[in-house]
Amino acid sequence: MHILLNTLYLMTPRTLVRLDHETVKIEVEGQLKMQIPLHHLGSIVCFGDVTLTTPLIMRCAEDKRLIVFHDQHGRFKARVEGPVSGNVFLRRAQHEALSDSKKTNAIARNIVAGKIRNTRQVVLRGAREADNEDDRKALQETARELAHGLEALSRSPDLEQIRGIEGNAARHYFATLDRMVRVNREAFKITHRNRRPPLDRMNALLSFIYSLLLNDCLSAAEGVGLDPQVGYLHVLRSGRPALALDLMEEFRAILADRLALTLINRRQVVEGDFVERPGGAVHINDNARKEIAIAYQKRKQEEVLHPVLNRKVPLGLVPHIQARLLARVLRGDAEEYLPFMYR
């Protein structure tokens, strides 16, 4: 259990969390392990076998304090929150934008442009840091393909073409992602993205970090009054947080993928941290998940230059800033959604 950025992360099996007046008390198998003033917490995130008492859940809902549940493998399961609030006119504009193909395509195009551009930055950095010429050439070729994708994106008239360019860029990227692994590459080999379930260690690691990132983007969308189910790049589907998935595209490479590579190359995550299940599914063990979650929160605290604000901000705040920029476009206060460009 850890408190990072006003978020309480609970990962120890058989944990009971209860409210005692204005204090949150955390017990494991009957032993008091920690107590925290309730007003210090902005949200509570649970992994696996963690129990919250009804009074605590009701109080958090009343205070608009978010509670999130993941299973023991880090897959998002549920969110608990109070009555829906937010700007009804903003949500109306968000829904109406779906009928405006010009606006929808422009938002989706810029999201994909931000994703490809940030992904290319990661690839170029990998090429500069490559240990051998073969890796360097392969990564440079991927960077060229991503540049071609950006060029084609500027000429794409419809949403399906935009999605096709994004998918093609992702295929090139994942085909050479393990060229940036410098330690025990064979154990973390990846040729393409797979999930539900992940079938190799790298995909298992990425899926876990993506689940943490998705939760942050859900919170960012809801924090400004947007409906996280209504997006523009991802296809609408019942129960699917399309807008949160849209928002996270710009951050996959620079936050999640770069973190995964760092953890592997620094041997903070090793081959033995993974378990292969019958049928080929690969999962991360409990201890490694804790270390990854801590590293993710530390990464979010690193400051980056936001090009629109022209000031340095913690990386963890950037999804919230982007959600606000998108809200301005939907309300008609800004002409174009400007994606976050990592430098």
Side-chain angles (χ1 to χ4, degrees), residues 8 15 38 43 47 78 91 123 137 141 144-145 156 168 172 174 183 229 241 243 247 249 271 284 325 337:
L8 174 63
T15 294
L38 180 62
S43 57
F47 292 85
R91 292 199 178 207
V123 171
K137 288 181 178 179
E141 178 59 29
R144 281 191 288 271
E145 291 293 340
S156 300
N168 187 55
H172 283 291
F174 283 112
V183 175
Q229 304 291 318
L243 183 65
L247 288 173
E249 291 299 341
E271 182 177 355
I284 308 170
L325 292 175
Y337 172 73

Side-chain angles (χ1 to χ4, degrees), residues 109 148-158 161-162 165:
R109 183 182 296 108
H148 294 330
L150 283 172
E151 183 181 354
L153 196 61
S154 64
R155 304 190 301 269
S156 300
D158 62 58
Q161 287 188 353
I162 293 168
I165 291 169

Side-chain angles (χ1 to χ4, degrees), residues 73-75 187-190 192-212 260 264 269 273-276 280-285 288-289 292:
H73 304 303
R75 289 189 291 265
F188 292 95
K189 188 172 182 60
I190 177 175
H192 64 282
R193 178 80 178 111
N194 57 66
R195 54 195 183 278
R196 300 191 191 98
L199 302 177
D200 56 61
R201 296 179 185 89
M202 179 64 88
N203 272 294
L205 179 56
L206 291 176
S207 289
F208 178 69
I209 302 176
Y210 287 162
S211 73
L212 300 176
I264 294 168
V269 171
D273 290 330
F274 298 82
V275 179
E276 185 171 344
V282 176
H283 297 299
I284 308 170
N285 67 33
R289 284 191 295 112
I292 295 164

Side-chain angles (χ1 to χ4, degrees), residues 76-249:
F76 173 80
K77 290 299 180 182
R79 295 159 55 84
V80 178
E81 55 191 331
V84 174
S85 61
N87 189 327
V88 65
F89 296 107
L90 172 59
R91 292 199 178 207
R92 179 180 177 181
Q94 181 186 1
H95 286 255
E96 288 178 344
L98 290 173
S99 301
D100 185 341
S101 61
K102 183 178 180 181
K103 179 173 285 188
T104 296
N105 292 352
I107 293 171
R109 183 182 296 108
N110 283 4
I111 287 172
V112 173
K115 175 182 181 176
I116 295 178
R117 196 268 187 185
N118 290 340
T119 301
R120 188 169 182 269
Q121 289 293 98
V122 170
V123 171
L124 288 172
R125 175 177 173 175
R128 291 193 301 268
E129 297 175 350
D131 293 330
N132 65 69
E133 192 61 24
D134 288 344
D135 290 343
R136 184 175 295 106
K137 288 181 178 179
L139 291 168
Q140 288 173 342
E141 178 59 29
T142 297
R144 281 191 288 271
E145 291 293 340
L146 295 175
H148 294 330
L150 283 172
E151 183 181 354
L153 196 61
S154 64
R155 304 190 301 269
S156 300
D158 62 58
L159 190 56
E160 287 308 308
Q161 287 188 353
I162 293 168
R163 289 170 176 158
I165 291 169
E166 186 274 333
N168 187 55
R171 283 190 292 274
H172 283 291
Y173 172 62
F174 283 112
T176 53
L177 179 62
D178 57 9
R179 296 278 189 168
M180 291 181 275
V181 175
R182 299 193 299 273
V183 175
N184 198 6
R185 182 177 296 180
E186 191 60 33
F188 292 95
K189 188 172 182 60
I190 177 175
T191 57
H192 64 282
R193 178 80 178 111
N194 57 66
R195 54 195 183 278
R196 300 191 191 98
L199 302 177
D200 56 61
R201 296 179 185 89
M202 179 64 88
N203 272 294
L205 179 56
L206 291 176
S207 289
F208 178 69
I209 302 176
Y210 287 162
S211 73
L212 300 176
L213 177 57
L214 178 60
N215 177 62
D216 286 341
C217 292
L218 276 164
S219 297
E222 293 180 333
V224 298
L226 291 166
D227 184 345
Q229 304 291 318
V230 178
Y232 304 104
L233 173 63
H234 288 82
V235 176
L236 300 190
R237 190 179 302 159
S238 180
R240 186 187 201 189
L243 183 65
L245 291 167
D246 286 359
L247 288 173
M248 73 182 286
E249 291 299 341

